Amino acid sequence: MALSRDAYRMLEDIVGPEYISEGLGIRDSYAFNVTCGAGSAFYTRPGAVILPESTEEVQAIVKACNRFKISFKAHSTGWCAWGNVFAEDGILIDLRRMNRILEIDERNQYAVLEPYVNGAQLQAELMKVGYNCNVVGAGANVSILAGCTSAWGWGFNSFGYGVSSRNLLVMEW
């Protein structure tokens, strides 16, 4: 199901025309995933995919979706059915442009991250200052925050660095 032109224009105004798409190829690429089975290689195709760059853009997208009664799902290095929308007219909010490490506080031993920072990215920066972190068993290519907030965050080095879900100090949602 296509979005109304008013809804699409409002979303496009938030992120710019290069960061929103209703193209079938784009939508199918987010719906395709054979790694998790469930009988089909395709999951629900989103109505559109949008890529915000900031918290403010995400807030504006959610407000627009609420205004037009459009379902949405945020996606941060997510794979399989649980990383996708549940309704064909839903918007998939891909957070890949929010991939910055905002702060590493060596003294207090914490980092402030955006949702698309992956394990390899954080680990490389931490190692520069003599620290390390738990990388979940899904691999260094997945979101550090997803491992802390959306599962248990168990990894091969959890024995030394703890389980990711227990390492999360605070989260702004």
Side-chain angles (χ1 to χ4, degrees), residues 67-118:
R67 177 178 174 184
F68 288 97
K69 297 184 178 15
I70 301 168
S71 65
F72 59 88
K73 176 100 181 248
H75 180 283
S76 176
T77 67
W79 291 78
C80 302
W82 52 83
N84 206 346
V85 296
F86 299 110
E88 289 231 358
D89 58 349
I91 301 288
L92 188 64
I93 305 172
D94 186 340
L95 302 171
R96 77 178 59 236
R97 294 177 64 210
M98 298 176 69
N99 62 355
R100 293 174 292 271
I101 298 171
L102 303 176
E103 177 184 1
I104 294 176
D105 184 325
E106 296 174 53
R107 182 174 180 272
N108 295 302
Q109 300 180 350
Y110 70 83
V112 179
L113 317 171
E114 290 183 331
Y116 215 84
V117 171
N118 65 39

Side-chain angles (χ1 to χ4, degrees), residues 127-146:
M127 286 181 163
K128 291 176 184 177
V129 296
Y131 288 110
N132 203 338
C133 64
N134 180 51
V135 174
V136 298
N141 61 317
V142 301
S143 167
I144 283 288
L145 291 178

